[in-house]
Amino acid sequence: MSQPLSDETIALVKATVPALEARGLDIVHEMYARLFQNSEIRDLFNQSNHGDAGAQPRALTGAILAYANNIDNLAALAPADERITQKHVGLQIRPDHYPHVADALLGAIKAVLGEAATDAILAAWGEAYWFLANILIAREGRIYGEQKDAIGGWNGWRDFRITSVVRESSVIKSFILTPADGGPVMAFRPGQYLTFWFEIPGHPPVKRNYSISAAPNGETYRISVKREPQGLASGWLHDQAEPGTLLKVAAPAGEFFLPDHPQRPVVLLSGGVGLTPMVAMLEAIIESGSDVPVHYIHGTHDRETHAMRGHVRALAALSPAARITDFHQTPLASEIEGRDYDRAGLITEEWLLTNTPVGEADYYICGPRPFLRASVSALSLAGVPSDRIHYEFFGPADELLAV
């Protein structure tokens, strides 16, 4: 167990907040430049999130500032810490990686702040870094142990073979994955994701997370992937991956998931490819025979981009407690309301608050950042407690502590 941070360290770290507010992003860019000189460390990261326009440097800048501001109240960062540990486990971060980050971070602070980064300041940040690192390392170790001991579980990268490919819409394909070793697959909680290591010719190793889009069955996983503009991994999957292709996969991870036995009404709210964890959740609820009310609400552009509509409708037909509402933002001229979609336009705050049980439901939300921000804000302002608003998003979260 880590020793508590000293009062002196807490005071020194909090005293650096103004400098972090002014130069934090510069420090982070310098840190990553130093870190990525080591190709082994560089390959652990999703490079699409880096660079001047990338989300990860901004996320880490906000994370460091949040840590400094809350260093005397670390309980406030507990949910963020859990998200980071889950991401680290997916990426196969190990204890021996942490010293590289420490050296890069402290070196960056010194390089950017110059004489203001005194020996005392650097020592304080070193102590603060390792205090948090040891918390994360301990939690990650427990998760790795649980994965290894689970039926069908594993550590590291396991080969899975694509056994079938299904075109779900004009932009989304599903891939059914079976272990190449013929063994069972680890159970997961609907909403969790798999991390993939892609080896694409002409590129360094590529890491991506994709939500599992089917309920657990002990034999296969399904992911449903949208082709992103200039998306290296998604483009390769859509154009090159076929039945028989082998993929390197890490065990399921993630802190966004449906409880085993929901006790309150469930609202599954998604935009675009954000439907993937929602389909897994809906399948799990229907297959369990639960009578908990579930409302599946999905928004997409039109009939051509709408994935899994028939499958979702067939699932809902199996349960009188399930209700489906589809929104098409810009329906095609040939589409008919009531046949191809339920409502035209965007999912509005007014509609959501009027047509879902705001006073009692758990909300599970996934989709692009603007969709997520609008949905979470609307529910929060309507008085839905934070412990009933659960969300997953794509890429790093600027407001979360993420190393």
Side-chain angles (χ1 to χ4, degrees):
M1 180 178 295
S2 299
Q3 292 295 318
L5 291 170
S6 67
D7 291 342
E8 180 183 6
T9 290
I10 290 172
L12 285 169
V13 168
K14 289 185 78 71
T16 64
V17 167
L20 293 175
E21 290 174 337
R23 302 297 304 278
L25 189 58
D26 294 333
I27 291 172
V28 167
H29 280 302
E30 175 67 19
M31 187 204 83
Y32 280 129
R34 290 166 176 257
L35 200 59
F36 291 169
Q37 291 176 16
N38 183 327
S39 61
E40 178 186 354
I41 301 299
R42 179 199 65 208
D43 292 346
L44 293 170
F45 290 80
N46 178 351
Q47 293 299 315
S48 69
N49 288 328
H50 290 271
D52 291 336
Q56 184 63 28
R58 295 192 304 275
L60 183 54
T61 301
I64 292 172
L65 186 58
Y67 186 41
N69 275 315
N70 290 281
I71 196 152
D72 53 353
N73 180 31
L74 294 179
L77 300 176
D81 289 351
E82 180 62 17
R83 176 176 172 81
I84 283 105
T85 60
Q86 295 288 340
K87 292 292 185 184
H88 281 186
V89 167
L91 292 168
Q92 301 300 297
I93 302 295
R94 298 292 181 175
D96 60 313
H97 295 137
Y98 279 85
H100 297 280
V101 179
D103 291 344
L105 175 60
L106 295 178
I109 291 173
K110 180 63 176 177
V112 173
L113 298 186
E115 293 182 359
T118 64
D119 289 345
I121 290 291
L122 292 174
W125 265 104
E127 182 185 345
Y129 171 83
W130 280 109
F131 181 84
L132 176 60
N134 286 329
I135 292 173
L136 299 180
I137 288 169
R139 174 61 179 142
E140 289 156 17
R142 291 193 294 272
I143 297 173
Y144 284 128
E146 292 167 359
Q147 291 178 338
K148 183 179 180 180
D149 294 340
I151 296 173
W154 73 97
N155 289 152
W157 302 99
R158 184 181 182 187
D159 285 341
F160 277 71
R161 180 171 284 107
I162 296 176
T163 52
S164 66
V165 180
V166 179
R167 186 176 185 84
E168 305 285 8
S169 76
S170 62
V171 292
I172 295 174
K173 284 185 177 181
S174 286
F175 302 85
I176 309 300
L177 311 175
T178 303
D181 58 21
V185 301
M186 176 181 160
F188 63 94
R189 290 178 147 178
Q192 292 189 305
Y193 55 79
L194 299 171
T195 303
F196 292 79
W197 173 306
F198 296 111
E199 296 177 346
I200 300 175
H203 299 273
V206 177
K207 306 285 183 63
R208 293 292 187 273
N209 298 330
Y210 292 115
S211 297
I212 305 169
S213 62
N217 62 26
E219 298 178 354
T220 64
Y221 295 129
R222 181 177 69 198
I223 60 170
S224 302
V225 180
K226 177 187 175 185
R227 179 196 289 276
E228 299 290 351
Q230 283 74 55
L232 179 59
S234 66
W236 182 84
L237 281 169
H238 274 251
D239 296 335
Q240 303 296 327
E242 58 187 16
T245 299
L246 288 177
L247 302 176
K248 294 183 181 298
V249 185
E255 83 296 345
F256 172 74
F257 53 78
L258 187 75
D260 292 336
H261 304 288
Q263 300 299 310
R264 295 187 287 258
V266 171
V267 177
L268 305 175
L269 177 62
S270 60
V273 74
L275 62 81
T276 53
M278 305 309 173
V279 173
M281 292 182 184
L282 182 64
E283 285 187 8
I285 291 172
I286 300 301
E287 290 175 8
S288 73
S290 171
D291 59 359
V292 64
V294 56
H295 193 164
Y296 177 102
I297 305 162
H298 180 61
T300 187
H301 289 292
D302 54 42
R303 181 178 58 210
E304 296 300 314
T305 63
H306 195 154
M308 299 181 170
R309 184 173 189 271
H311 176 59
V312 167
R313 294 274 166 172
L315 286 171
L318 299 175
S319 171
R323 177 184 172 195
I324 310 297
T325 306
D326 295 324
F327 284 73
H328 285 185
Q329 182 178 350
T330 52
L332 302 172
S334 60
E335 291 189 49
I336 298 175
E337 184 173 347
R339 183 194 70 183
D340 300 298
Y341 64 94
D342 298 304
R343 296 185 66 90
L346 298 172
I347 302 169
T348 66
E349 172 184 342
E350 293 76 16
W351 186 92
L352 185 64
L353 299 181
T354 301
N355 291 277
T356 62
V358 174
E360 53 182 333
D362 274 300
Y363 288 81
Y364 297 85
I365 311 169
C366 187
R369 192 177 300 273
F371 172 86
L372 179 70
R373 184 181 298 114
S375 301
V376 172
S377 296
L379 293 170
S380 297
L381 291 172
V384 179
S386 60
D387 64 353
R388 289 201 282 112
I389 304 175
H390 318 273
Y391 52 89
E392 181 65 288
F393 39 79
F394 310 127
D398 295 346
E399 75 279 7
L400 294 184
L401 181 60
V403 177

